[in-house]
Amino acid sequence: MTVSRRRFIVSTAVVGGGVLIGYSATRPSRHSRANKELAKGSERFITSFIKIDKENEITIFVPHSEMGQGIHTALSMMAADELDANWEDIKIEQAPAIDLFANGDLVKGFAGEFGVPDALMPLVNMSAFPIAEIMNLQITGGSSSVRYTGETAMRTAGAAARKMLLEAAAIRLSVPIDELTTELSHVNHNASGQSMSYGQLAADAALLEPPKNPTLKDRSQFNIMGRAISRNDIPAKVDGSAMFGIDAHSDDMLFAAIKLAPVFGTKLASVDATEALTLRGVKRVIELEDSFAVVADSYWRAKNALALVDATFEASENDSISSSDIDARFSKELDENNGNKDKEVGDAEAELEVAADVLEANYRVPYLAHAAMEPMNCTVHFKGDAAEVWTSTQDALGTAGRVASVAGLSESKVTFHQTYCGGGFGRRVPLLNSNVIDHATLIAMEFEVPVKTIFSREDDMQQDHYRPAVHNNFKAAFDVNNNVTAWHSRFTGPISVPGASHIPYAIKNQSIRVVDGKTHVPIGPWRSVDHTQQTFFTESFIDEIANRAGVNPYQFRIDLLQAHPRHRKVLEVAAEAAGYGENLQEGRALGIAVQESFGSFVAEIAEVSLNKDNQPVVHKVTCAIDCGWAVNPDIVEAQIESGIIFGLSAAMYGEITIENGRVAQGNFPDYEVVRMASSPKIEVHIVESGGAPGGLGEPATPPIAAAVTNALYILTGQRVRDLPIMNHEFSIGNPVAQV
């Protein structure tokens, strides 16, 4: 089992807390630093996230990357509502990649998620921001933006700024603060009829220190949160003015096309670039440890020249490995190794020994690429002992730090230019994007002009950090009355998200263990991380158990979820909306799956049929989500639709295979995705429980695979235990009646 970056950060916060608290205490306050380093003219930072000028324009700085998820709008809504701002006065800006905007709130949030004891949380909270600064942590991922940054940073910033403006007005008007109210970016004194804009008070308020624990609004007091406000990034994306990393340009820019070792981990052995160097526009051929690149005055010329370079790479023991070899290894490990404890409740082994019947099933999912629509790219310009960087990233500060490390520069000498991201899904986290960032940096160091390194679609698909391939072997024990008495699960690791393999169902005896799943194939987080594999496994096998017990899969789940009302509620809402149990069009079936991930509860019901060629068709997906409460219902729906389509593409078609040690797939013709013509109708129902905010970017992705395959079982009697679905042949020969 590997140590994730988040777990390392949390551990560091606990172990080094005392030193870091002392470090933090010697630093100026964050809002003081913002005023000193960033404020211009009449602008004043009231908190480090909120800037107000004398014309009453309010700028909210968002420390997360906008990847199409609407997070700039959602987080700004949270701050603006607590501020009692006029939304029409709000301007939204991407927070720059400087340590002032290192995100300590993520350290706090993930500490709780990864089980830091309550007794240690005060230490974590006090050391969170220096940890974030030292780790260059400005990451967007883990569906953490609203539930951590939004809830604890943006709302607090808005409430603190409002309190400071009230205090400034009370002093200015010589009245008690409790006689003042705020509304639409103004402080009002109703008794005298006087009113002052936030812009008029900003300079005075900025001299105050933000309160650490301001009172936040009750939901009944919200004016902006909860509304379907249009996203601020949409107009620029519609008119084409939005800037993505690949759009970086200057007249003197050069372009690099790169060829990395096709077998992961091997080194470059020899290069003959004679023919390539004769082509028009080609400047240099750069040799690196594991790759070579052609640099030219256009990407097209660089790419064409790259194909003419005669190069060889070292041989390795991995050159003959195929997907079948990896599958055989995983199966062998599961057969021979009982693994490490993930969860143990009761005595599942003993129950299996005395069971009246035992159901066994083995499930498999393949490696998956991220396949973000914007090609991977990174532009670096070295100017003496300084550098500028342009790239689409999920962690601007981390990317700048990585460039500094590779180039041997002080981090203060790297200027990062943030852009929109054309998809991320984990691929644009610096650790997973290191092969792009590192190589782009090393190539650009050879020139005095900007150099843009671009990975072709084939480069990206064959040099990704993939969603892990995972095997999971199950057993379920039944007593003489067909009651399930034990759940037994063994799967290949690593575990990246604790608890993803756990089930909410009331089965008294559970044994869940993980065995090693390491190979030479690089892996990393993929949208919803471990939940994407584990939900397919667990929600498929629970369906198998229900059918073996002779109980309707929906009712079976409801009966075993008595202790989990939020799971039950989304399942009930989705079932009712989908017409579950009612007459369904002939030749169609409804499949069910439910899962909690990233603090949100999601149930999905897929309506599926087979076409005239016996190929599965997903007509409709009905989804119910309980994310606590919706900051922006329109963004909630969009993210659910996105997550379902992303997960459906993987379930239907997604597969990265290994042949001769390397990835066989190269582009979308052999890595298919759901297109507009095959996209199902998606119906989203938001269940507001009033709980803590949950994530949105990832929770809708995990349930869809099991929902579709469970429907296919009802249609055909064939149980899909390995993905993708396209590898199976179906026929309406033995449909399963639902009790």
Side-chain angles (χ1 to χ4, degrees):
M1 295 173 61
T2 59
V3 178
S4 72
R5 183 184 186 193
R6 282 174 286 187
R7 186 169 293 180
F8 174 75
I9 291 167
V10 170
S11 300
T12 305
V14 173
V15 174
V19 173
L20 293 166
I21 292 167
Y23 162 81
S24 184
T26 65
R27 303 270 280 172
S29 70
R30 297 166 72 82
H31 108 281
S32 297
R33 290 171 57 198
N35 276 306
K36 181 178 180 180
E37 299 171 20
L38 301 176
K40 298 177 182 178
S42 67
E43 300 172 344
R44 293 294 184 272
F45 280 83
I46 312 303
T47 73
S48 58
F49 289 124
I50 299 173
K51 180 179 73 177
I52 304 176
D53 69 14
K54 66 180 181 180
E55 302 302 325
N56 213 27
E57 181 178 82
I58 300 171
T59 302
I60 298 176
F61 289 83
V62 179
H64 285 285
S65 300
E66 179 59 77
M67 301 183 287
Q69 78 278 44
I71 205 59
H72 281 188
T73 300
L75 292 185
S76 296
M77 289 173 65
M78 300 176 86
D81 201 334
E82 293 290 352
L83 181 59
D84 269 347
N86 181 357
W87 183 251
E88 303 305 318
D89 295 336
I90 296 297
K91 180 182 177 183
I92 302 171
E93 286 193 15
Q94 173 72 54
I98 57 177
D99 64 3
L100 174 64
F101 293 102
N103 202 333
D105 291 280
L106 295 185
V107 176
K108 298 176 187 178
F110 285 124
E113 184 174 323
F114 281 82
V116 172
D118 291 342
L120 293 178
M121 283 305 296
L123 184 61
V124 172
N125 291 337
M126 286 187 286
S127 59
F129 284 99
I131 280 287
E133 291 179 15
I134 293 167
M135 296 291 296
N136 290 318
L137 185 66
Q138 201 180 33
I139 197 167
T140 302
S143 285
S144 60
S145 301
V146 165
R147 63 191 179 119
Y148 295 154
T149 305
E151 188 70 356
T152 63
M154 304 308 288
R155 289 187 68 188
T156 299
R162 175 180 173 273
K163 181 70 180 299
M164 295 160 71
L165 290 160
L166 281 167
E167 290 179 7
I171 295 170
R172 182 85 65 89
L173 298 174
S174 299
V175 299
I177 194 170
D178 57 9
E179 291 184 8
L180 299 173
T181 60
T182 54
E183 184 179 19
L184 297 176
S185 304
H186 284 73
V187 177
N188 303 316
H189 185 239
N190 295 328
S192 65
Q194 297 181 84
S195 179
M196 303 183 72
S197 73
Y198 287 175
Q200 291 174 293
L201 296 165
D204 291 347
L207 298 175
L208 305 172
E209 279 297 317
K212 292 184 178 180
N213 297 298
T215 301
L216 303 182
K217 288 183 177 181
D218 180 79
R219 289 184 63 204
S220 64
Q221 299 172 302
F222 292 170
N223 296 309
I224 297 173
M225 289 184 279
R227 292 167 50 192
I229 291 174
S230 298
R231 281 169 39 183
N232 79 305
D233 59 314
I234 296 299
K237 291 177 177 176
V238 172
D239 66 24
S241 62
M243 179 79 171
F244 293 83
I246 203 166
D247 295 323
H249 180 76
S250 68
D251 291 340
D252 58 348
M253 178 177 287
L254 296 176
F255 300 81
I258 191 167
K259 176 68 175 180
L260 283 87
V263 177
F264 306 112
T266 55
K267 308 299 181 185
L268 183 66
S270 66
V271 171
D272 181 353
T274 305
E275 188 175 358
L277 289 168
T278 66
L279 295 187
R280 179 184 175 190
V282 173
K283 305 298 183 183
R284 292 268 305 276
V285 174
I286 306 294
E287 297 180 31
L288 301 173
E289 185 179 22
D290 61 349
S291 59
F292 62 91
V294 174
V295 180
D297 59 7
S298 77
Y299 176 67
W300 179 251
R301 288 172 176 168
K303 190 172 187 299
N304 286 340
L306 190 75
L308 299 179
V309 176
D310 183 13
T312 58
F313 291 87
E314 293 177 351
S316 82
E317 61 183 9
N318 297 320
D319 289 0
S320 62
I321 290 178
S322 67
S323 289
S324 59
D325 297 320
I326 294 172
D327 288 343
R329 175 186 164 185
F330 284 178
S331 295
K332 185 172 186 288
E333 288 177 348
L334 287 170
D335 287 342
E336 298 177 355
N337 190 340
N338 199 36
N340 298 310
K341 174 184 174 182
D342 185 10
K343 182 178 181 180
E344 295 283 349
V345 178
D347 193 339
E349 299 282 4
E351 286 296 323
L352 287 166
E353 290 291 331
V354 300
D357 190 22
V358 174
L359 175 66
E360 298 188 41
N362 299 334
Y363 283 80
R364 310 285 183 262
V365 293
Y367 293 108
L368 291 180
H370 294 82
M373 191 55 62
E374 179 192 0
M376 307 307 295
N377 62 87
C378 184
T379 300
V380 185
H381 184 193
F382 283 94
K383 302 176 181 179
D385 65 345
E388 292 187 71
V389 184
W390 296 258
T391 187
S392 303
T393 181
Q394 292 177 238
D395 187 348
L397 195 55
T399 299
R402 186 158 194 115
V403 171
S405 177
V406 172
L409 298 179
S410 165
E411 291 178 358
S412 64
K413 293 291 187 177
V414 177
T415 301
F416 185 87
H417 300 275
Q418 179 72 292
T419 67
Y420 288 125
C421 297
F425 320 120
R427 177 65 166 114
R428 286 190 156 93
V429 173
L431 183 62
L432 271 67
N433 198 16
S434 60
N435 53 4
V436 183
I437 298 167
D438 295 3
H439 290 90
T441 302
L442 292 169
I443 293 166
M445 288 174 68
E446 301 293 322
F447 299 87
E448 296 180 352
V449 297
V451 181
K452 181 190 293 184
T453 299
I454 300 174
F455 273 31
S456 68
R457 181 65 62 193
E458 290 79 8
D459 294 332
D460 181 33
M461 199 160 286
Q462 296 175 345
Q463 299 291 338
D464 201 348
H465 285 68
Y466 304 89
R467 185 194 79 168
V470 180
H471 288 197
N472 199 323
N473 294 353
F474 287 108
K475 296 178 184 178
F478 296 85
D479 64 18
V480 293
N481 297 314
N482 275 344
N483 297 311
V484 60
T485 60
W487 174 279
H488 186 277
S489 170
R490 299 292 183 270
F491 62 92
T492 56
I495 294 175
S496 296
V497 177
S501 64
H502 301 176
I503 58 172
Y505 302 107
I507 299 175
K508 291 183 178 180
N509 302 283
Q510 300 178 29
S511 177
I512 305 172
R513 301 179 72 86
V514 58
V515 304
D516 179 35
K518 291 181 181 178
T519 69
H520 78 295
V521 180
I523 60 174
W526 184 94
R527 192 174 189 175
S528 76
V529 204
D530 297 9
H531 291 283
T532 179
Q533 303 103 321
Q534 292 297 335
T535 304
F536 169 63
F537 299 151
T538 59
E539 283 299 289
S540 296
F541 192 55
I542 203 71
D543 234 56
E544 290 204 52
I545 292 172
N547 281 281
R548 167 61 186 79
V551 181
N552 175 277
Y554 168 77
Q555 191 59 51
F556 188 79
R557 286 174 169 83
I558 291 293
D559 291 344
L560 292 182
L561 289 172
Q562 298 296 327
H564 296 275
R566 296 178 75 180
H567 288 81
R568 281 173 55 96
K569 183 63 177 179
V570 292
L571 192 53
E572 290 167 350
V573 170
E576 181 178 0
Y580 192 91
E582 301 174 7
N583 291 330
L584 193 63
Q585 183 176 331
E586 186 176 354
R588 296 191 181 186
L590 298 178
I592 300 173
V594 61
Q595 174 71 323
E596 174 193 359
S597 62
F598 305 96
S600 290
F601 300 76
V602 176
E604 291 172 11
I605 297 184
E607 183 175 333
V608 181
S609 74
L610 297 184
N611 64 18
K612 60 183 179 62
D613 298 318
N614 285 333
Q615 297 300 307
V617 177
V618 182
H619 298 276
K620 180 181 178 182
V621 178
T622 304
C623 176
I625 178 169
D626 172 3
C627 57
W629 53 277
V631 174
N632 185 321
D634 189 54
I635 290 177
V636 173
E637 290 191 26
Q639 282 300 284
I640 296 305
E641 292 163 352
S642 167
I644 288 172
I645 291 172
F646 194 83
L648 185 59
S649 291
M652 297 292 289
Y653 313 114
E655 183 178 35
I656 290 293
T657 57
I658 306 300
E659 296 177 7
N660 298 320
R662 64 197 69 187
V663 171
Q665 289 70 26
N667 210 319
F668 285 121
D670 47 19
Y671 193 80
E672 186 62 83
V673 295
V674 171
R675 313 294 178 98
M676 290 181 70
S678 57
S679 179
K681 177 182 178 181
I682 299 174
E683 188 177 286
V684 180
H685 299 267
I686 301 172
V687 178
E688 294 216 348
S689 63
L696 286 174
E698 301 178 272
T701 296
I704 188 62
V708 172
T709 58
N710 288 339
L712 285 170
Y713 174 74
I714 296 169
L715 274 176
T716 68
Q718 296 172 245
R719 180 64 68 180
V720 176
R721 296 194 180 101
D722 58 275
L723 298 177
I725 294 168
M726 70 173 184
N727 290 343
H728 298 265
E729 295 182 359
F730 299 96
S731 62
I732 302 282
N734 189 28
V736 177
Q738 292 298 288
V739 294

